[in-house]
Amino acid sequence: MPDSPIAMRALLAGARRKQPEWLDLLRRLVEAESPSDNKSAVDGCVDLAAAHVKGLGGRVKLHRQRAFGNVLEARFGPRTKGAAKPILLLGHLDTVWPLGTLKTMPFRTAEGRVWGPGTLDMKAGVAMAFTAIELLGEVELLNREVVLLLKQ
């Protein structure tokens, strides 16, 4: 990635432009409640993320689990022989919050902050990863494969 001040300003401008989309994705992820002890709820959140990956042109592989939430393997960028090694990003979509928490702790934003179950750990990070990958693709800087593995 070019480290010129012009390239960095362009990426920052792109990130600011994408902030409303990022916030909407974060809201959808948070509102897909996914407590660790509820496989079906976690799978629903994973399915939401998988649909987003497909919308970005990524490749999706679901690793189905029996007792826990399914694992999402999302791949972006080129898969060329002899290319640089892929970059691996790890995350999760389950939360410690039980179903129904949204009733007392709804997703909301105020004063530059975001609240809601699972926002900090780690649905905001997952939304940021998707947004960064999308932005790098748009400016043609996604020059190696990125693998995003989301598990419970």
Side-chain angles (χ1 to χ4, degrees), residues 1 4 17 23 33 54 59 61 76 99 112 124 127 134 142 145 148:
M1 167 188 289
S4 74
R17 180 178 39 82
L23 199 55
E33 291 183 287
K54 290 176 184 175
R59 301 171 302 279
K61 182 174 183 181
F76 301 90
L99 285 178
E134 181 181 14
L142 194 56
E145 187 176 38
L148 175 59

Side-chain angles (χ1 to χ4, degrees), residues 28-119:
R28 289 184 285 130
L29 289 171
V30 168
E31 290 179 351
E33 291 183 287
S34 52
S36 301
D37 63 353
N38 188 318
K39 176 179 171 29
S40 141
V42 174
D43 287 348
C45 193
V46 167
D47 290 344
L48 175 70
H52 191 76
V53 170
K54 290 176 184 175
L56 295 176
R59 301 171 302 279
V60 168
K61 182 174 183 181
L62 279 179
H63 300 270
R64 304 216 182 262
Q65 307 296 304
R66 288 182 194 209
F68 300 101
N70 294 331
V71 175
L72 172 62
E73 178 184 329
R75 293 179 177 262
F76 301 90
R79 293 183 290 180
T80 350
K81 254 191 169 170
K85 291 183 179 181
I87 296 170
L88 176 63
L89 303 174
L90 300 172
H92 64 89
L93 288 168
D94 63 314
T95 70
V96 299
W97 303 98
L99 285 178
T101 299
L102 282 169
K103 291 176 189 162
T104 57
M105 186 173 42
F107 178 85
R108 67 182 177 95
T109 61
E111 300 174 18
R113 294 182 182 194
V114 181
W115 287 268
T119 298

